Amino acid sequence: MSWKQKLSPNLDNDPNHPLYVYAGGSLLYDWYGWCLAVVAASYSASGSSYSAKTAWQSNSTQHRNFSIPYEVYVPLWYEGGEYGHVVIGYRKGDQITVWSSPYTHKATFQVFSGELHETLDYIGRVYGVGAYTGWTETVLQSRVIEEVNDTPAPKPEPKPEPEPEPEPTPEPEPEPDPSDDDDNNNGKDSDDMATPEPTKPIDQQLVGGIIEEAGDGWFSPSPTVRLVAYLLGDALLIGGLLTPTIISMLNAESPQVFGEYLAKALLELGTCILMVFKLIKKK
């Protein structure tokens, strides 16, 4: 907890705003013996009391300790003597500065500075009012300081992250119904069903298909004619397959690209030659 200033005192240190102290409606030209009037005028406090002692005794914000708030202007009280005494203190660390009505006949503050306990004890001896009594938050009926709650607010606890939803369990695939197989087979055994032939590579389909058509029996050329036809047709097919690769090779922009297309052309040519001779051997 800390304190903040609610009413700032006029310490008579600004020539443009001098402190004027009144008693019974009259301006005081001598502040000696008028400690309560001086402190009340400095804070512009309202209310009145017979003396500093009675003002302290009737104050509801008494603090009978040396825990004087830091860096605010606080009323400090002495209860000793016939009238008691009141001053204004400003504490910084273990040091304090005090503004008091004078102990000689003049209309200015008497200022004391030093270590907290030593300074307050010294003032009590000088004014003959005994030991320091305590401090208050008010002067007469006016609040001059107020407490501030500077404790940081507790941080809200983070909300727990929601647990991930479990993945749905896949439904088991239904087992095949033997009756469905009987319906699909239309009464035939599975051994009687035709087994699909493996699909041939597209090049083999193209080259081999034409060669196979030549032997379907719609004409019966001699073996020499058939061989020449096979070789001529296969040569034309090979040329057609290699033409795009050869054109790309000739238009290559770099030796590396030319080499790639050349390798591709040789690979395709070798594949076609092997396939042709396999088909001729088969025939």
Side-chain angles (χ1 to χ4, degrees), residues 64-80:
R64 291 178 176 270
N65 54 51
F66 283 87
S67 301
I68 300 168
Y70 291 92
E71 299 183 1
V72 285
Y73 296 92
V74 185
L76 309 178
W77 303 83
Y78 294 81
E79 199 175 7

Side-chain angles (χ1 to χ4, degrees), residues 25 38 52 69 75-76 118 221 235:
V38 170
L76 309 178
E118 293 179 358

Side-chain angles (χ1 to χ4, degrees), residues 15-30:
N16 296 321
H17 299 88
L19 175 63
Y20 297 105
V21 181
Y22 292 86
S26 300
L27 178 65
L28 294 178
Y29 295 97
D30 185 358

Side-chain angles (χ1 to χ4, degrees), residues 4-255:
K4 73 175 183 177
Q5 199 75 51
K6 190 171 177 65
L7 285 180
S8 297
N10 181 349
L11 299 177
D12 199 31
N13 51 10
D14 184 356
N16 296 321
H17 299 88
L19 175 63
Y20 297 105
V21 181
Y22 292 86
S26 300
L27 178 65
L28 294 178
Y29 295 97
D30 185 358
W31 295 356
Y32 178 78
W34 293 96
C35 63
L36 180 60
V38 170
V39 171
S42 179
Y43 281 112
S44 298
S46 59
S48 62
S49 187
Y50 175 72
S51 66
K53 178 182 284 191
T54 58
W56 161 259
Q57 291 172 345
S58 62
N59 196 302
S60 60
T61 64
Q62 294 177 356
H63 296 271
R64 291 178 176 270
N65 54 51
F66 283 87
S67 301
I68 300 168
Y70 291 92
E71 299 183 1
V72 285
Y73 296 92
V74 185
L76 309 178
W77 303 83
Y78 294 81
E79 199 175 7
E82 183 178 356
Y83 302 106
H85 190 52
V86 60
V87 298
I88 299 172
Y90 184 88
R91 179 181 180 181
K92 195 167 185 179
D94 62 349
Q95 300 292 308
I96 192 168
T97 301
V98 176
W99 291 263
S100 171
S101 60
Y103 54 78
T104 59
H105 295 279
K106 59 182 180 178
T108 58
F109 276 112
Q110 199 78 44
V111 181
F112 304 87
S113 295
E115 194 274 332
L116 177 67
H117 293 81
E118 293 179 358
T119 302
L120 296 181
D121 289 345
Y122 177 74
I123 291 171
R125 292 196 301 270
V126 169
Y127 288 86
V129 291
Y132 156 79
T133 304
W135 59 278
T136 60
E137 303 166 27
T138 61
V139 172
L140 300 176
Q141 297 177 5
S142 298
R143 175 167 289 277
V144 297
I145 61 172
E146 61 182 1
E147 198 170 19
V148 178
N149 185 0
D150 53 5
T151 303
K155 295 182 179 179
E157 295 183 0
K159 295 182 179 180
E161 296 183 357
E163 296 182 359
E165 296 182 0
E167 296 183 357
T169 304
E171 296 182 0
E173 296 183 357
E175 296 183 359
D177 190 349
S179 61
D180 293 341
D181 293 340
D182 294 341
D183 294 339
N184 293 333
N185 294 340
N186 295 324
K188 297 180 179 180
D189 294 335
S190 58
D191 295 339
D192 298 335
M193 298 181 63
T195 303
E197 295 183 0
T199 304
K200 298 180 180 180
I202 190 167
D203 291 341
Q204 186 175 347
Q205 293 179 15
L206 180 61
V207 179
I210 297 174
I211 296 175
E212 289 176 359
E213 286 181 1
D216 285 341
W218 61 276
F219 78 101
S220 299
S222 64
T224 302
V225 175
R226 290 175 61 184
L227 180 59
V228 172
Y230 292 158
L231 294 177
L232 180 59
D234 290 340
L236 292 174
L237 290 174
I238 292 172
L241 291 173
L242 295 179
T243 297
T245 304
I246 293 173
I247 292 174
S248 299
M249 180 178 66
L250 296 175
N251 293 328
E253 298 177 358
S254 65

Side-chain angles (χ1 to χ4, degrees), residues 248-269:
S248 299
M249 180 178 66
L250 296 175
N251 293 328
E253 298 177 358
S254 65
Q256 183 179 355
V257 177
F258 178 87
E260 292 176 356
Y261 280 114
L262 177 58
K264 183 178 180 182
L266 293 175
L267 180 62
E268 291 175 349
L269 177 59

